[in-house]
Amino acid sequence: MAVGRIIKALSGFYYVQSNEGVYACRGRGVFRNKKITPLVGDFVEFEVRNEVEGYIMKVRDRSNELIRPPIANIDQVGIVSAATFPDFNPLLLDRFLVLVESKHIQPLILITKMDLIAQAEIDRIKEYQTAYQEIGYEVKLLSSKEPEWISEVMPYFKDKVTVFAGQSGVGKSSLLNTLDPNLYLETAEISKSLGRGKHTTRHVELLAIGEGLVADTPGFSALEFSDLEPEDLGPCFPEIRLHMPDCKFRGCLHDKEPKCAVKAAVSDGAIADFRYDHYLRFLEEIKTRKTRY
């Protein structure tokens, strides 16, 4: 039985990369009966039918997976945010970070279109950059007028499977085109009336970039914490996770509880106010969801 990795799923076919080449494979009907859906990034065992076709017989165990975008066995997520068109949105960025942290995947923050904003806004975004770096995140500011950023970012992809995720219109496809001009991925202008881009990426595909694999994924603007319980949220914020063991009461949600080490850290400036505010908003959202259902 041949072994390979699914690098693209399109129109009912799974394109499997093995040492011998790429095979267009169908999935066995038994997968549907067992409610198993092969994902891009899956390692699979497949039966070769001819030089270009085969049948997937088994999906090997995954180290992790995402549903939106649908991909498995990821080493890191490059969260792409724009400085403008659409405007930089730290609340949305933190939503992505919570999702990535909840899956125990390493995030890489990439802020594009820095050349399109005025100095005052550059200074504001650099303040956010500092705040996220103090938490421990890698944050890169990207500008089409400063191509040297490519050599700074490329090493992050080596020997890793990286997912690019972000709101529509933030420049994921344009970023990939810059990293590898041979891709010529379809891009679209931003709708100024809506402040977001058209969905130019319609499927998930792993692309060879920087001695690693990078996935371009359909853009999306909504993230739900459907898999998170209230007590799961704190550990998804590294700076909150750091102070949680010092809380007085076990099961502290760092909201209204007394003798909370996290709230004390916020008061002392060890946790940024905007991050704690986002935590409380997400906590209320999760609690409301549980009450509703």
Side-chain angles (χ1 to χ4, degrees):
M1 197 78 68
V3 177
R5 187 205 306 263
I6 298 175
I7 59 170
K8 180 170 67 173
L10 186 64
S11 301
F13 284 94
Y14 301 98
Y15 293 83
V16 180
Q17 174 87 60
S18 73
N19 291 334
E20 285 70 41
V22 177
Y23 296 82
C25 297
R26 294 280 191 180
R28 290 182 61 195
V30 69
F31 290 150
R32 288 190 295 273
N33 297 334
K34 294 182 178 180
K35 297 183 178 180
I36 297 173
T37 301
L39 297 177
V40 170
D42 271 332
F43 290 100
V44 298
E45 298 175 15
F46 66 103
E47 182 180 281
V48 176
R49 288 300 172 93
N50 54 49
E51 292 181 354
V52 294
E53 296 178 321
Y55 278 93
I56 294 176
M57 309 301 287
K58 180 180 179 180
V59 176
R60 292 188 170 181
D61 291 342
R62 298 164 179 158
S63 59
N64 54 49
E65 67 180 82
L66 297 177
I67 302 302
R68 297 180 62 186
I71 189 168
N73 301 314
I74 311 126
D75 296 307
Q76 67 180 353
V77 175
I79 303 173
V80 185
S81 294
T84 187
F85 296 117
D87 291 340
F88 179 66
N89 186 339
L91 180 65
L92 183 59
L93 173 56
D94 281 346
R95 279 185 169 273
F96 278 100
L97 286 169
V98 166
L99 174 63
V100 172
E101 290 279 359
S102 72
K103 299 295 184 180
H104 307 289
I105 304 170
Q106 180 68 36
L108 171 65
I109 300 172
L110 304 170
I111 302 178
T112 62
K113 308 184 186 180
M114 290 296 294
D115 54 303
L116 301 181
I117 57 176
Q119 187 59 49
E121 187 64 10
I122 291 175
D123 293 340
R124 186 179 80 92
I125 289 181
K126 284 187 174 179
E127 289 178 0
Y128 278 111
Q129 180 188 30
T130 299
Y132 283 110
Q133 287 174 332
E134 288 176 349
I135 294 169
Y137 292 126
E138 294 284 351
V139 185
K140 297 297 179 182
L141 308 183
L142 313 183
S143 167
S144 61
K145 293 183 178 179
E146 298 177 1
E148 60 270 16
W149 65 261
I150 297 176
S151 60
E152 296 178 8
V153 171
M154 200 67 80
Y156 287 96
F157 304 137
K158 185 177 181 180
D159 299 327
K160 291 183 178 180
V161 175
T162 303
V163 173
F164 275 6
Q167 184 181 13
S168 290
V170 295
K172 298 188 300 297
S173 294
S174 297
L175 177 57
L176 283 168
N177 280 334
T178 304
L179 291 169
D180 186 349
N182 294 322
L183 295 175
Y184 295 111
L185 295 172
E186 178 189 9
T187 58
E189 292 184 358
I190 302 303
S191 168
K192 292 184 179 179
S193 60
L194 296 176
R196 63 176 185 265
K198 299 175 183 178
H199 288 263
T200 56
T201 306
R202 296 176 178 85
H203 64 273
V204 179
E205 181 175 0
L206 289 175
L207 308 164
I209 292 179
E211 299 183 60
L213 294 172
V214 177
D216 188 26
T217 64
F220 53 94
S221 57
L223 285 169
E224 297 180 356
F225 304 126
S226 55
D227 295 333
L228 289 179
E229 299 297 326
E231 60 272 17
D232 299 328
L233 183 60
C236 295
F237 286 74
E239 66 274 48
I240 291 179
R241 185 168 67 231
L242 178 66
H243 294 279
M244 284 174 55
D246 297 324
C247 289
K248 176 70 172 179
F249 298 100
R250 189 175 181 178
C252 181
L253 293 179
H254 327 298
D255 182 9
K256 299 179 175 63
E257 297 87 348
K259 298 182 180 180
C260 171
V262 170
K263 290 191 292 183
V266 175
S267 299
D268 294 342
I271 294 177
D273 287 336
F274 81 94
R275 287 276 291 176
Y276 181 63
D277 289 343
H278 293 171
Y279 166 81
L280 291 179
R281 290 180 65 167
F282 298 158
L283 181 65
E284 183 60 29
E285 181 179 325
I286 293 170
K287 287 180 175 179
T288 301
R289 181 205 76 213
K290 286 181 65 65
T291 302
R292 187 164 58 240
Y293 296 107

